[in-house]
Amino acid sequence: MSLVAEAFVSQIAVSQQTAFFVVRKGDFTRIEEDSSLFKAAEPWPENATLYQQLKGEQILLSDNAASLAVQAFLQMCNLPVKVVCRANAEYMSPSGKVPFIHVGNQVVSELGPIVQFVKAKGHSLSDGLDEVQKAEMKAYMELVNNMLLTAELYLQWCDEATVGEITHARYGSPYPWPLNHILAYQKQWEVKRKMKAIGWGNKTLDQVLEDVDQCCQALSQRLGTQPYFFNKQPTELDALVFGHLYTILTTQLTNDELSEKVKNYSNLLAFCRRIEQHYFGKVSSSIKLS
Amino acid sequence: MRKSHEAREKLLRLGIFRQVDVLIDTCQGDNALPNGLDVTFEVTELRRLTGSYNTMVGNNEGSMVLGLKLPNLLGRAEKVTFQFSYGTKETSYGLSFFKPQPGNFERNFSVNLYKVTGQFPWSSLRETDRGISAEYSFPVWKTSHTVKWEGVWRELGCLARTVSFAVRKESGHSLKSSLSHAMVIDSRNPSILPRRGALLKVNQELAGYTGGDVSFIKEDFELQLNKQLILDSVFSASLWGGMLVPIGDKLSSIADRFYLGGPTSVRGFNMHSVGPQSEGDYLGGEAYWAGGLHLYTPLPFRPGQGGFGELFRTHFFLNAGNLCNLNYGEGPRAHIRKLAECIRWSYGAGIVLRLGNIARLELNYCVPMGVQGGDRICDGVQFGAGIRFL
């Protein structure tokens, strides 16, 4: 029987079941929403897990930066989390981006929502800030996401040398031929389309590196001689900046221009070293990346 | 006369003629034999390219289906079909090339290219398959064999945010490259609501040795026996079973496992809602069996006898089955024991309507029994439509 007719016939069979099923699933969801307030007040469990791609062969610069930022944030809040590497982490995530954490029954992805989730559980790094400082912190986090993260994505997916030598091979490494090529090309097409949409489609590599330099300059000026961005206590902004800058400094790319731009600012280097020693000193060698 | 009728049937089966007429006349002309007969076949061919357009509505989705067929591409009954289905939720298409061996229709070869998307709410799973397959069929004595190679790129995704973590872990891409062999012996007469005859289908599949990253051996069989009893009633017994053995240390994928339950399987249970599950999402199992005993009788008081009423039957049934995962360290004895404990079964009665020669509709009143924790049941009235029923 033809594909379509088969699908049609099986759809009729399912429709009766689905009506019955949907009522039940709806009940389940309503109960879960009512108890979300209770769930938020549950203590942080011992078995909280953070998922990212395979560290050695698969993960890319931008994803590694995001994952490190979340790990730094959770360390700063003193919340234990186990890091698990899975090849399909990107597809497991509810938003399609890594990293994501699995805490109790909840799955939350990306730094922004994770900060909100952790705040609902009663832990926060930015409680001590006043309204002006909070707005400033949000503005700088936006700067890092719009400039640094986009520059990383540009370098990974739009610079032909990097794509050919590093990105393409790494992204498709867990998959067999020809799936490794198909997925890498699909992702590259997606990122290039996004770049065009935000106006980075026609930028050259030099312009992108200039933008990175300006971003680092702004961060360096804000940091000044303080230990953290908001004086004595680290906030989520510190975690985010650390994640990106540390990853840029320690990742081997086809050329060193990106890390050179960061190395120009000595207070940013000291900042990264300080956070690494303070929060990751015990976890040591796992931070070193190939 | 009989031979010319058989020849006419064979010509019609090629699927390239709209009409075949046979004229038998005494020989005429110069080379006429004294008692000879002229047999003339007059045929009208189908059009070179036919198209069809349907709209389908079902299960909260509407779709538009476009079909194109070239019934006789190169002059030897090669058939090319293309089907495209554009729906509110999903899009699917398929292109197929079919070539029978000239003079021997039972031997044929076909190549298919397809993209099919399915949504499975019982597992909160969405699956997109893009694949290519090549198959060769040939008869051996009374059986029909098919050997097939298939390469499929499968993409699994979650249907809802509240999906269980066990199903979330299966999301992503995988590539299955498999060789399979199927054997069918079908002596049923006719194949929908048969009066007598038997069906045996055995299917083996070996994945992983021709590429891809999924590796397993899968075996499943289907057996059906029918016997006509007094007063136009038919007694039918059927048995299904299957087993999936992953090769290597990777666990089996949710897209390869077997499912049990539903109006076409063990009646009285929700569609595919029996067996291992996690937070309400059914994960399927690596081994299963299902059996049914049916008694089909004509409708009481035989309304519409000889006409419309012949399409209906009343139907009394007893279904049973079990589904589980296997722990391969335990050995076959433990597996058999596991499949024999906690059997789900059901009984009931209903009405069956035959649709053409392929499908049937059923409306049954079911009483499910042996329900285990986690199964979803549909006790009371259950409606089913399909091609393959237990």
Side-chain angles (χ1 to χ4, degrees):
Chain A
M1 205 171 166
S2 65
L3 287 168
V4 154
E6 225 175 272
F8 172 62
V9 158
S10 65
Q11 272 173 355
I12 303 177
V14 171
S15 65
Q16 301 300 311
Q17 316 307 316
T18 312
F20 196 64
F21 182 94
V22 160
V23 165
R24 290 194 157 187
K25 200 100 179 159
D27 287 340
F28 179 71
T29 320
R30 217 183 309 128
I31 295 170
E32 202 191 328
E33 277 168 3
D34 284 339
S35 67
S36 65
L37 292 166
F38 294 105
K39 277 208 160 100
E42 277 172 11
W44 189 262
E46 286 297 318
N47 62 348
T49 350
L50 178 137
Y51 289 86
Q52 62 168 44
Q53 290 108 326
L54 303 174
K55 206 176 291 187
E57 322 87 42
Q58 186 193 16
I59 199 167
L60 297 172
L61 175 59
S62 51
D63 293 327
N64 210 354
S67 176
L68 192 58
V70 171
Q71 287 176 52
F73 174 73
L74 291 173
Q75 282 279 28
M76 289 169 185
C77 295
N78 228 344
L79 297 170
V81 74
K82 197 173 77 141
V83 176
V84 171
C85 298
R86 283 185 71 105
N88 61 339
E90 190 182 358
Y91 309 106
M92 279 169 71
S93 161
S95 70
K97 298 212 171 74
V98 286
F100 66 92
I101 54 172
H102 183 214
V103 175
N105 261 346
Q106 315 264 69
V107 177
V108 192
S109 65
E110 297 182 71
L111 184 66
I114 291 177
V115 170
Q116 297 291 345
F117 177 74
V118 163
K119 193 168 175 182
K121 286 206 179 281
H123 307 266
S124 175
L125 294 178
S126 51
D127 274 345
L129 305 178
D130 61 36
E131 289 307 315
V132 174
Q133 287 176 315
K134 276 190 186 157
E136 208 187 337
M137 181 184 75
K138 280 203 176 68
Y140 274 100
M141 285 178 79
E142 277 302 306
L143 176 71
V144 172
N145 278 331
N146 289 342
M147 284 287 182
L148 270 188
L149 179 61
T150 320
E152 286 165 6
L153 284 173
Y154 181 93
L155 188 61
Q156 275 168 198
W157 291 106
C158 303
D159 174 43
E160 293 306 324
T162 319
V163 168
E165 273 182 44
I166 300 178
T167 316
H168 210 102
R170 282 185 77 97
Y171 191 77
S173 63
Y175 299 102
W177 182 91
L179 203 53
N180 52 357
H181 295 302
I182 297 176
L183 292 177
Y185 278 119
Q186 201 180 44
K187 180 80 182 183
Q188 186 179 14
W189 185 77
E190 221 175 277
V191 174
K192 277 192 166 159
R193 200 174 56 149
K194 201 166 70 163
M195 289 288 149
K196 218 170 276 181
I198 58 172
W200 282 53
N202 290 329
K203 282 199 178 181
T204 63
L205 186 60
D206 290 325
Q207 285 174 324
V208 169
L209 290 170
E210 257 310 300
D211 286 336
V212 170
D213 193 43
Q214 281 182 3
C215 180
C216 291
Q217 195 179 32
L219 289 172
S220 179
Q221 277 178 351
R222 179 67 185 79
L223 184 63
T225 50
Q226 298 168 319
Y228 301 110
F229 278 92
F230 290 95
N231 210 4
K232 295 283 173 28
Q233 294 303 317
T235 56
E236 44 265 33
L237 175 61
D238 300 276
L240 183 63
V241 172
F242 169 73
H244 282 273
L245 293 184
Y246 189 85
T247 316
I248 292 175
L249 288 169
T250 52
T251 306
Q252 191 84 298
L253 292 173
T254 48
N255 56 23
D256 285 330
E257 287 174 11
L258 193 60
S259 53
E260 288 304 315
K261 292 287 176 196
V262 177
K263 282 182 186 157
N264 282 338
Y265 301 92
S266 53
N267 63 346
L268 292 180
L269 287 178
F271 168 77
C272 289
R273 222 170 275 132
R274 195 179 310 124
I275 294 195
E276 188 204 354
Q277 275 175 351
H278 197 134
Y279 291 101
F280 292 95
K282 308 154 207 164
V283 195
S284 64
S285 60
S286 64
I287 304 298
K288 277 289 170 251
L289 308 150
S290 58
Chain B
M1 281 269 288
R2 194 164 29 92
K3 280 202 169 157
S4 58
H5 179 74
E6 278 174 21
R8 176 176 179 274
E9 291 298 313
K10 277 192 179 167
L11 282 174
L12 278 174
R13 202 174 35 168
L14 288 176
I16 56 178
F17 298 120
R18 198 198 304 266
Q19 213 178 338
V20 178
D21 292 324
V22 184
L23 282 171
I24 307 181
D25 203 355
T26 46
C27 268
Q28 279 155 16
D30 298 330
N31 295 336
L33 297 170
N35 285 328
L37 292 169
D38 265 340
V39 184
T40 321
F41 289 91
E42 276 182 23
V43 300
T44 25
E45 284 186 51
L46 289 172
R47 300 236 300 266
R48 188 155 276 245
L49 172 70
T50 49
S52 66
Y53 172 83
N54 309 316
T55 35
M56 261 177 18
V57 178
N59 199 18
N60 300 328
E61 178 182 359
S63 54
M64 179 184 88
V65 183
L66 192 67
L68 285 174
K69 188 163 85 162
L70 289 98
N72 194 0
L73 186 66
L74 299 168
R76 291 180 196 270
E78 296 88 357
K79 193 158 64 169
V80 172
T81 30
F82 176 68
Q83 223 165 52
F84 180 75
S85 158
Y86 180 76
T88 48
K89 282 191 197 160
E90 316 279 4
T91 304
S92 310
Y93 49 82
L95 175 69
S96 140
F97 171 76
F98 171 82
K99 176 175 169 48
Q101 188 181 48
N104 200 346
F105 190 76
E106 301 292 338
R107 277 177 197 266
N108 51 59
F109 170 74
S110 78
V111 175
N112 303 301
L113 198 66
Y114 58 89
K115 175 199 164 205
V116 172
T117 316
Q119 292 195 353
F120 309 119
W122 47 82
S123 308
S124 299
L125 191 73
R126 180 204 285 120
E127 180 177 342
T128 303
D129 284 352
R130 297 170 179 87
I132 178 169
S133 74
E135 59 186 75
Y136 179 66
S137 301
F138 55 94
V140 171
W141 191 40
K142 289 208 179 115
T143 66
S144 162
H145 294 250
T146 307
V147 176
K148 176 162 102 166
W149 172 81
E150 188 176 24
V152 191
W153 164 22
R154 299 183 305 199
E155 186 182 339
L156 296 171
C158 306
L159 262 191
R161 283 200 69 102
T162 48
V163 67
S164 66
F165 203 72
V167 174
R168 201 180 267 287
K169 275 203 285 206
E170 306 249 16
S171 315
H173 299 261
S174 66
L175 187 68
K176 180 183 87 158
S177 164
S178 68
L179 289 168
S180 65
H181 166 254
M183 180 192 81
V184 178
I185 313 175
D186 192 352
S187 67
R188 296 176 305 174
N189 175 19
S191 40
I192 280 284
L193 294 181
R195 286 192 195 287
R196 73 177 81 87
L199 166 74
L200 175 65
K201 260 192 211 169
V202 181
N203 186 34
Q204 287 84 239
E205 188 176 354
L206 172 69
Y209 289 91
T210 47
D213 57 0
V214 179
S215 205
F216 59 76
I217 291 187
K218 193 169 175 182
E219 185 79 46
D220 66 276
F221 73 91
E222 189 181 323
L223 174 67
Q224 190 186 90
L225 301 164
N226 301 286
K227 184 161 171 62
Q228 189 154 23
L229 303 175
I230 52 165
L231 297 176
D232 245 355
S233 49
V234 176
F235 178 73
S236 172
S238 56
L239 181 65
W240 292 357
M243 196 158 103
L244 171 74
V245 182
I247 302 175
D249 45 7
K250 244 186 172 180
L251 297 171
S252 58
S253 165
I254 197 172
D256 297 316
R257 292 195 279 259
F258 299 103
Y259 293 85
L260 189 68
T264 57
S265 168
V266 180
R267 297 168 179 81
F269 291 84
N270 264 359
M271 187 82 169
H272 293 172
S273 299
V274 168
Q277 52 99 15
S278 162
E279 295 171 42
D281 294 328
Y282 292 90
L283 307 172
E286 289 163 356
Y288 86 106
W289 68 270
L293 296 173
H294 302 260
L295 181 68
Y296 296 98
T297 61
L299 290 177
F301 309 115
R302 299 194 181 222
Q305 185 175 10
F308 192 60
E310 294 300 318
L311 296 174
F312 289 86
R313 287 280 185 281
T314 29
H315 162 222
F316 303 91
F317 65 86
L318 175 68
N319 288 156
N322 203 0
L323 176 83
C324 69
N325 280 318
L326 304 179
N327 182 347
Y328 294 97
E330 285 174 2
R333 213 168 272 257
H335 300 164
I336 297 180
R337 201 170 355 112
K338 221 173 172 183
L339 284 173
E341 332 178 299
C342 315
I343 297 178
R344 282 88 165 164
W345 59 282
S346 67
Y347 62 90
I351 300 183
V352 178
L353 167 67
R354 188 179 83 188
L355 283 180
N357 220 8
I358 336 166
R360 67 193 223 195
L361 300 177
E362 283 191 9
L363 190 66
N364 295 312
Y365 184 86
C366 315
V367 182
M369 312 280 285
V371 181
Q372 302 299 315
D375 298 343
R376 279 214 186 90
I377 59 170
C378 180
D379 57 349
V381 178
Q382 190 177 41
F383 174 74
I387 324 164
R388 184 176 167 255
F389 282 80
L390 178 65

